[in-house]
Structure formats: C-alpha cells, structure tokens
Amino acid sequence: MSKKKIRIALSGNPNSGKTTIFNALTGARQHIANYPGVTVEKKYGRTNHQGYEIEVVDLPGIYSLTAYSLEEIVARDYLLDEKPDVVVDIVDASNLDRNLYLALQFKELGVPLIIALNMMDVASSRGITIDTELLSHMLNAPVVPMVARTRSGIKALLDKVLEVAEREHEWHPELISYGGDIDQALDEIEEILQRSRFYDEKYAPRWLALKCVEGDDQVLRLMEREPILHDEIEAVCRRVSRHILNTLEEEPEGIIADHRYGYIAGITRKAVKRKIQSRLHLSDRLDKVLTDRILGPIIMLVVLYATYEFIFWASEAPVAWTESFFEWLKEVIFLVLPPGNLRSLLTSGVIDGVGGVLGFVPLIMFMFLAIAVMEDAGYMARVAYMLDRVLRWFGLHGNSVLAFLISGGISGGCAVPGILATRTLRDPKERITTILVVPFMNCGAKLPLFGVLIAAFFSKNEARMLFIFTLLSWAFALFSAKIIRSTVLRGPKTPFVMELPPYRVPTLKGLAIHTWERTWQYIKKAGTVILGFSILLWAVMTFPQLPQEQRDHYRAQRDSLEKAFLSHAQVRGLIHGKKELALLDKRFSSLIQDKGKGKETVQTDHPHSPVPALAEAAFRLKNGGRDLVEGMDPGLIKAAKVYLDYQEAMAQSLAFERRDALLHAFAGRIGKALETITRPLGFDYRVNIALIGGFAAKEIIVSTLGTAYSLGDTDSEEGTSLSDRLRNNPDWNPLKAFTLVIFSMLYVPCFVTLAMIRKEASWKWAGFSVAFNLLIAYTFSLFLYQVGSFLGLGL
C-alpha cells in the first residue's frame, strides 16, 4: 500500500532557526550559522510520519513577500507556482512582533499556515510569556511552541502538519483593513481583476490588488500582458497614491506596513506578557562592549589575531605528523619501485602534489573550527554589523559583509557560496560589485600556499603574517570596489538594516559537524579534482621526455665524475669500486636524515670498513666545517673533502638534467614562454606553471609547485618538504614569496568561481573579472617586487 504524500514549505525570517528545523525533520545536514542569509536557495528533503511521506522544502529566509530581493522572489514564486499543502512559518518567539509581519502576509495570501514558535527557551530567558492558544485563536492558525536546537516540539509540529493537510484544501486569504482610502482602492482593483479569468486561475484577486497598490514591480509587469486592464489598475493606483501623499505625506506602501504592524501589536498586546526588566539581557549587555564604536573594532582585531595564533599553535604538531607520514610513504615507494615513470608519477605527481595539499588538513580543520565557534556563538553577525560602517564608504551595501565573510574574510571560506550570498542585495550595481571583489578574499584553497611560504620564509611570525594577508585581502577588495563603484557601476547606495541574533553557547556536536563537513569537502576536493589535475600536470611536466642523446650526455658526465672520484689519490686507498661508493652514499644520506631528526645512525657496515668514518667526516665538514673534524685523521679529512666536491658535481649534473627535462616538456615550454611577462615579478617557469594550474583550483598551486620542484631539484629523493626545498633554493627569498602570495591572492578566480559569476551576473562580468583581477594582481605585484628589490627588502 503506497503512502499518502504531503508537501510542506518551511519559511521564516533569516536566523529564525529554519534550517535547524529542516535538518531535524529530514535528517539532512544543511549548513547552519548564527547569522542571517545562510539559506539563499530552496532545498528539498523527505521524512515519514504516521504513514505519510512528507516532502519538506526549505525556502530562503525572508522578511516579507515583496519582491525586493532574490530570496523573496524565490520564496514567493514557489508558493504561488507549486502551492504546497502546508506552509510552516518559523517564528522567533523572542522577537514575535517583527516575525509575525511575514506570518500576516501569509494570511493575506491565504496559504494553509502553521506557526512554529521557535526559540521558546530564549523568550523565556528574557521574561517573555506567550499564550499560544490565544495567539493561535487570534491568528486563526495553529501555533506549535518548540525549541528546534533540542528537537523539542518536532513531533508536535509533524502531527499538526498532518492535521492541517487533511483539513485544509483551499486557500483562504485574510482580509485586513488598511484604512478607508486603500480599502476602497483595493475593492476597485479587485473588481477589475475579477473580470479577467486569466488572473483567477493562479492569484487571489485581493492579494494581487494589494501588490498593485504597494507598487510591486513583478506584479505590475504581469499586468502589462493585458494593456487595457493594466491601464485601469494603474489609474486607480495613481489616484490613491496621490491622495495619500497629499493627506498623509506618506507612500501607500508605508501606510500598509503601519497597519500590519498595528494589527500585530493588537494581537501581541493580548497574547504576550513581558516582565518589566530593570536591566538589559545578556546579549544586549555584551553588545554594548563588543559593538562599541571604539572598543568593538579593537576587540574584533584582537579576536582575529588570537584566532590565527591558536590555529598555528594547535596545528603545528599534527601538520608535522602529516608531513612525516608522506615522507615515509615516499621512502617506501623509493625502496619498492625501480626508477622510472611509475615511481616519478607516484612520488612527484601524487605525493608531492596531493600530499602537499593534504599536509595542511590539520591547519584547515582548526581554521574551520574557529570559524564555526564565531558563527554559532553569534559573533560573526557582530563582525558584519561593525564592518557595515566601513563598507558603505567604499560604495558597498551592508549585506555585502556576509558575502565577504563567507568567501574568506576570516581566512578559510569559499567564493562560490559567497557569490550566492549576494542574492540578498537588492541593488544590481551593489550586487555585481560585491560579486566582482569577493574572490580577493583568502579562501581556504589559498591557505596551503600561504602555509608553505609562511613556513619557509616567515616561520617566526606565522600568525602575524596570516593576519597581515587577511588585512591586505580586505584592503584590495574594498579599494577595488571603490574603483568599480566610481567608474563602471556608479549609482546611489541603498539602506541597510541588519538583525543581530542573540549570543548562544555553541554545542560540541554542532561545532564537530560544521568543522568536519567543511574539512571533508576539502579532503574530497584533494582526492578528486586536485588528484586529477596533479596527475595531468605531472604528465605535461614530464612529456615529451628529454631526447636520448641529452640523457646519454648527462649519464656519461656522471660516469666520468664517478671514475675521477674513485681514482683520486686521496680516495683510492679507502673506497674500492662502485659497491663501496654506493655504501658511502647510503651512509652519508642516512646521517643527513637521522641527524636532522635528532636520531643516532646505527652502524651496520663491517667494523673495519673506512666507509662509516669517511661518511662521518664528510657530514661534519658539510655541517660544521673544520672545527668539527679536529682530531680526525688528516688523510680522512682530505678524502671527505674530495667526496663532498664529488657529491656537489653529481647533484649539479642531476639538477641540470631535470631542469632541461622540465623545460623540454609541454608545461616547461609554456612556463618559459611566460617568463617574459612574469620575470619582472620574480617568477620563473615553475611558478608560472603552478599559477596556470591554480586557475583550476587554488590548491593546485601548491601541488604543482611540489611536482615542479620535485622534478627539477636535487632534493626530491631526500624526502624534504616543499617549504624546505623553497627555503634552500637560491632563487627564492622572502620578497619573492611575499610577491607570490599577493599575486595568488588577487589574480583570476578559479573556474568554478568564474562559472558562478557567469550564472549570477553574465559572461560579460565573468570576462571583466578575469581582466580586472589580472590587472590588479600584476600591477601591485610588479610594484611590490620592483620597489622591494630596489630597497633591498627581503633579499
């Protein structure tokens, strides 16, 4: 026997707990945050209750059913087009007057309505008592008290959904009086509309009449399909608008809103009791300090800096463990597989590529944890509130703050949901400007590169450098917005009102879920997109391979060096043939690795063999000079010096061969061709290849650098990290590292972000984003590198 099916829509004001209830009903894990604007598209889920299959649709958070923003249009169109069986309006019980404004509009539309009175615990803590039965009676709609965070009231809500779905099959618009003048106009328009069958099929005439008087653009455009009808209605609207302006000096829309709030006040005056409080509740008291004009920004910067200090402190050991794991894995592959393309693919392509990205999973995870704490506690909304004052000076809207924060305003976000968050902006120019500059934020994909370069060149000031990079990303985004708003997108600013949700203590379960979900997305991306591109980039960095004649040339060169070493007068009596030379190389490498890790090398050679002593002497000479070899046999010291010269010549020959091989491959040729443009920035062909790869995903910059420096350097077989390789490379210095951070922060968005810009704006703005970002990135990076070089900074 098939189940009966019901379709319900969840609606409500932003931050009313709508997504929490959606997750509780469906078992989904949609992202929840303690600030408005998290849900910007409708989402679907299913649940079963008492033999019914219930489809649950989570609509974007809205304040009204006007068509000012995309969320409001999405929610309203869904209700009118799909006509769900029941609409559940999630209402914040601690802010009842404001939240009932939307409920009243649902009543005017006539939908089968249930009021889910959420956050009853918060209302109670503020001394607010609600008579739910009286409220239900006065609204003529069922009211279900609940606390979604603890799942209290979920079953009662489902029971009520079934009851209403079984009982209500028709929509019954509520008639509310807006005063004599407007009521008369509504009657006239309704009469005109009732003469048209076309509008009766989908829209209630009274509701359409109300929207006409309110000046709803979407409804007025709909009327234009019947010109005669449109002209009659427009004449009525003009007349009532002129009359109200002359008599009340107010627009009809304002008078309608006043009557709605008056209607709500009449209800709450009877159904709600508030204790007279002589003191402010906790959230207000905290806000007096945390959002203070002077103290607020200072506290915000301190919180941000402390967050970065915590992240680097907490992730230091796990990052080292992860790096050690990948080094160990690489050593195993070197032991198991012979030299060749397969070993190169696994070590240079996969481990140095993907491993370089996965090595930063602990740092990313702690970053996401810190963000989750600030979101769930409600502090992120305060950050948005304080930054609104700043953003308006740069021509942006207050709601732009949310897009910035989601995109990585506190390092670790993503530009794709950030661009979606711009749907809350009403003005198209403010919205497109925000879309164009949010890719400048330090998203989580850029963090691995920042982590590698900070560890290599700024390891003594890790948190301070990330803090500086965060401030720079904001500065670049805001000044770029100022340029755009002053030139191609000039226009007036629109007003901004933001709700500050109450502070809450985050739950451990909530923090764990939010942190894990975001970290898992990062890991999945590394295991799929980044792995695929790493292999592809390894291939274009490996093929076509160096011609056989050149490989033979380098091999003959190394054979010649080996013969010269074995026949040297200082060595002949100590090392006899290639076998003992191989033992010496192995012993010398073990000493470097073991001493570097603070371990003692276990002697396994023959006790009378000179190999250990010679390796020890070479190691001491290499690391400490002649002071460390005092007391050793002079002949042994001379042989050790010859051995070090031989090692250097062999390494140089190998490096030249790898460099030539990389330059001969497809990627090397492209990277080399681009050096004409990037050389003034200090970038060579390997950095160019990495930046090209970064267009696919910013994490690939690190994985490609890992592969490029693995294929082209002599350290690749010693298990050193990318940070160590860059630090030890003579072509690198702090100035070059800083310039690369700035360039990667600003240059073209990844292709997923570009696709989102195309979807939310147009191809024209996606193309503008590429050209504009490249221009900004190149100009500032060129200025930085050239001025830094001239002044000798970071060289």
Side-chain angles (χ1 to χ4, degrees):
M1 183 177 174
S2 61
K3 293 181 179 178
K4 294 180 182 178
K5 294 184 179 178
I6 295 175
R7 185 170 49 188
I8 67 172
L10 299 185
S11 190
N13 285 186
N15 212 48
S16 60
K18 193 166 48 60
T19 305
T20 306
I21 292 179
F22 176 80
N23 290 345
L25 289 173
T26 64
R29 287 184 176 179
Q30 293 295 338
H31 177 58
I32 303 166
N34 191 16
Y35 59 86
V38 172
T39 306
V40 290
E41 285 187 325
K42 55 182 181 289
K43 298 180 176 64
Y44 295 85
R46 291 184 185 280
T47 187
N48 295 300
H49 188 66
Q50 295 185 9
Y52 283 81
E53 181 181 329
I54 303 173
E55 182 185 68
V56 185
V57 183
D58 184 18
L59 298 176
I62 53 176
Y63 291 103
S64 72
L65 286 179
T66 54
Y68 287 141
S69 67
L70 282 177
E71 294 110 313
E72 289 169 349
I73 292 172
V74 167
R76 196 172 80 177
D77 286 351
Y78 176 80
L79 296 176
L80 292 171
D81 294 339
E82 304 298 330
K83 291 193 180 297
D85 298 301
V86 178
V87 174
V88 178
D89 182 21
I90 317 298
V91 169
D92 178 357
S94 62
N95 287 295
L96 196 58
D97 296 71
R98 178 174 52 74
N99 277 241
L100 285 181
Y101 189 83
L102 178 63
L104 194 59
Q105 292 188 70
F106 284 136
K107 295 296 296 178
E108 290 175 308
L109 190 58
V111 301
L113 183 67
I114 295 175
I115 304 292
L117 208 54
N118 192 25
M119 303 187 201
M120 289 295 286
D121 55 340
V122 178
S124 178
S125 69
R126 294 183 181 182
I128 299 171
T129 305
I130 301 172
D131 185 337
T132 54
E133 288 190 14
L134 181 58
L135 183 64
S136 172
H137 173 71
M138 298 187 76
L139 285 171
N140 192 25
V143 173
V144 180
M146 59 194 309
V147 181
R149 284 206 307 158
T150 60
R151 298 180 63 87
S152 170
I154 294 295
K155 182 179 178 302
L157 178 63
L158 287 171
D159 291 341
K160 194 59 72 178
V161 164
L162 300 188
E163 183 185 320
V164 173
E166 284 290 321
R167 189 183 64 219
E168 304 282 353
H169 299 288
E170 300 292 333
W171 288 25
H172 303 288
E174 186 95 3
L175 294 180
I176 295 173
S177 174
Y178 299 105
D181 295 329
I182 292 180
D183 286 350
Q184 184 183 344
L186 291 177
D187 291 340
E188 289 179 36
I189 296 172
E190 191 176 4
E191 187 181 334
I192 296 170
L193 287 169
Q194 283 172 344
R195 296 201 300 265
S196 168
R197 291 182 184 176
F198 174 76
Y199 295 113
D200 283 344
E201 291 173 359
K202 186 174 177 181
Y203 307 102
R206 184 76 176 184
W207 182 81
L208 272 182
L210 187 59
K211 293 291 120 182
C212 289
V213 174
E214 284 184 311
D216 188 296
D217 289 338
Q218 198 180 26
V219 170
L220 290 175
R221 282 198 299 273
L222 187 69
M223 299 293 176
E224 290 174 357
R225 295 182 187 178
E226 291 194 16
I228 297 175
L229 189 80
H230 174 264
D231 292 344
E232 286 185 62
I233 293 173
E234 193 178 33
V236 176
C237 290
R238 272 204 305 268
R239 189 194 71 218
V240 70
S241 177
R242 189 167 54 246
H243 179 72
I244 289 176
L245 274 172
N246 289 335
T247 55
L248 303 175
E249 296 183 345
E250 181 65 271
E251 294 284 350
E253 189 181 6
I255 299 297
I256 291 171
D258 286 346
H259 277 81
R260 284 179 180 144
Y261 278 117
Y263 185 91
I264 292 166
I267 293 174
T268 55
R269 198 175 296 122
K270 295 179 179 177
V272 180
K273 292 181 180 176
R274 296 179 174 87
K275 290 180 182 176
I276 299 174
Q277 293 179 314
S278 58
R279 58 185 175 84
L280 296 170
H281 56 73
L282 182 61
S283 285
D284 291 333
R285 279 185 289 162
L286 286 172
D287 278 339
K288 284 183 79 67
V289 178
L290 295 179
T291 62
D292 181 80
R293 279 185 172 274
I294 297 172
L295 283 178
I298 295 172
I299 294 172
M300 180 177 67
L301 292 175
V302 170
V303 168
L304 185 61
Y305 188 78
T307 299
Y308 290 162
E309 284 283 1
F310 161 75
I311 290 164
F312 280 105
W313 169 78
S315 64
E316 184 179 3
V319 166
W321 298 335
T322 314
E323 286 180 350
S324 297
F325 169 75
F326 284 112
E327 287 171 12
W328 170 82
L329 194 61
K330 202 169 170 181
E331 289 171 8
V332 170
I333 291 174
F334 274 118
L335 289 174
V336 174
L337 292 178
N341 285 334
L342 179 59
R343 191 169 87 171
S344 175
L345 169 64
L346 292 176
T347 56
S348 298
V350 177
I351 295 179
D352 284 330
V354 178
V357 176
L358 288 178
F360 285 92
V361 164
L363 187 143
I364 295 287
M365 188 180 70
F366 282 109
M367 179 70 77
F368 289 153
L369 173 64
I371 291 173
V373 170
M374 286 190 278
E375 284 181 348
D376 291 6
Y379 185 66
M380 198 70 94
R382 272 70 187 179
V383 172
Y385 170 75
M386 287 184 281
L387 289 175
D388 166 57
R389 301 167 195 160
V390 180
L391 262 64
R392 294 188 65 73
W393 189 85
F394 290 95
L396 293 168
H397 187 266
N399 275 339
S400 302
V401 173
L402 297 176
F404 278 81
L405 293 176
I406 293 170
S407 300
I410 295 175
S411 303
C414 177
V416 173
I419 290 171
L420 281 174
T422 62
R423 291 181 177 184
T424 57
L425 301 174
R426 299 176 188 176
D427 184 83
K429 291 180 179 177
E430 290 173 338
R431 182 165 182 257
I432 290 174
T433 303
T434 308
I435 287 174
L436 292 174
V437 299
V438 292
F440 288 158
M441 293 291 102
N442 293 334
C443 65
K446 295 174 186 172
L447 286 185
L449 176 66
F450 294 179
V452 164
L453 297 177
I454 287 174
F457 299 101
F458 311 103
S459 57
K460 293 182 180 175
N461 302 295
E462 291 177 324
R464 189 185 305 170
M465 292 310 297
L466 189 56
F467 185 70
I468 290 170
F469 294 153
T470 301
L471 296 182
L472 284 174
S473 70
W474 276 92
F476 283 122
L478 293 178
F479 280 105
S480 298
K482 186 73 174 176
I483 293 170
I484 293 171
R485 288 286 281 152
S486 304
T487 54
V488 292
L489 287 172
R490 274 185 291 187
K493 302 167 191 171
T494 54
F496 169 64
V497 177
M498 183 172 185
E499 174 195 357
L500 290 181
Y503 289 101
R504 298 171 192 157
V505 178
T507 63
L508 287 177
K509 183 182 176 185
L511 293 178
I513 290 174
H514 293 161
T515 304
W516 172 245
E517 283 175 343
R518 290 168 172 173
T519 306
W520 179 238
Q521 289 295 323
Y522 180 82
I523 294 171
K524 273 204 301 186
K525 195 174 178 184
T528 52
V529 176
I530 295 171
L531 175 61
F533 274 99
S534 293
I535 293 173
L536 177 66
L537 287 166
W538 169 84
V540 295
M541 282 189 277
T542 303
F543 300 102
Q545 292 187 319
L546 206 58
Q548 189 62 44
E549 303 84 52
Q550 279 184 265
R551 281 186 278 171
D552 290 343
H553 163 74
Y554 281 114
R555 193 171 296 118
Q557 187 183 57
R558 289 194 287 273
D559 287 344
S560 175
L561 289 170
E562 189 179 84
K563 284 181 185 174
F565 172 72
L566 290 172
S567 61
H568 196 282
Q570 297 294 337
V571 177
R572 270 202 309 268
L574 298 171
I575 304 298
H576 306 93
K578 294 183 178 180
K579 189 175 178 182
E580 282 198 350
L581 177 57
L583 286 174
L584 176 61
D585 289 340
K586 184 180 176 184
R587 178 76 183 183
F588 184 67
S589 294
S590 298
L591 279 172
I592 291 175
Q593 290 183 17
D594 292 346
K595 298 282 185 185
K597 296 173 183 174
K599 296 193 300 184
E600 284 299 322
T601 303
V602 180
Q603 182 169 335
T604 56
D605 309 302
H606 192 281
H608 302 296
S609 170
V611 168
L614 182 54
E616 182 71 27
F619 176 78
R620 292 188 183 189
L621 269 179
K622 182 180 174 73
N623 290 282
R626 290 194 169 274
D627 291 345
L628 287 179
V629 294
E630 193 173 354
M632 282 187 163
D633 179 9
L636 194 68
I637 295 171
K638 288 179 181 175
K641 187 171 186 314
V642 173
Y643 176 67
L644 289 178
D645 291 341
Y646 158 75
Q647 277 265 320
E648 186 179 345
M650 290 289 279
Q652 194 174 46
S653 172
L654 199 60
F656 283 156
E657 183 180 0
R658 287 176 171 165
R659 181 203 60 191
D660 290 349
L662 185 55
L663 285 171
H664 187 73
F666 290 122
R669 296 177 195 183
I670 296 171
K672 192 69 180 174
L674 288 174
E675 278 190 350
T676 309
I677 302 170
T678 62
R679 182 58 72 185
L681 309 181
F683 301 161
D684 64 6
Y685 62 100
R686 287 175 288 196
V687 176
N688 293 343
I689 297 168
L691 290 172
I692 293 171
F695 177 66
K698 290 294 186 287
E699 296 97 328
I700 291 175
I701 297 176
V702 165
S703 64
T704 309
L705 278 177
T707 305
Y709 278 87
S710 176
L711 291 172
D713 262 11
T714 57
D715 289 344
S716 62
E717 297 193 9
E718 293 180 4
T720 52
S721 68
L722 178 59
S723 295
D724 292 335
R725 276 180 235 156
L726 297 181
R727 187 189 304 114
N728 297 328
N729 192 304
D731 294 335
W732 280 81
N733 53 54
L735 176 61
K736 179 174 177 177
F738 199 93
T739 306
L740 180 57
V741 166
I742 297 300
F743 191 85
S744 61
M745 181 191 294
L746 303 177
Y747 87 121
V748 293
C750 68
F751 78 93
V752 178
T753 302
L754 274 180
M756 187 57 66
I757 294 175
R758 199 277 309 165
K759 181 183 173 188
E760 296 296 313
S762 65
W763 277 116
K764 181 185 79 172
W765 289 115
F768 179 88
S769 175
V770 171
F772 181 75
N773 289 22
L774 266 179
L775 178 66
I776 295 286
Y778 192 86
T779 304
F780 279 97
S781 301
L782 180 67
F783 175 79
L784 176 66
Y785 189 75
Q786 291 300 323
V787 171
S789 299
F790 179 76
L791 298 176
L793 300 173
L795 297 176

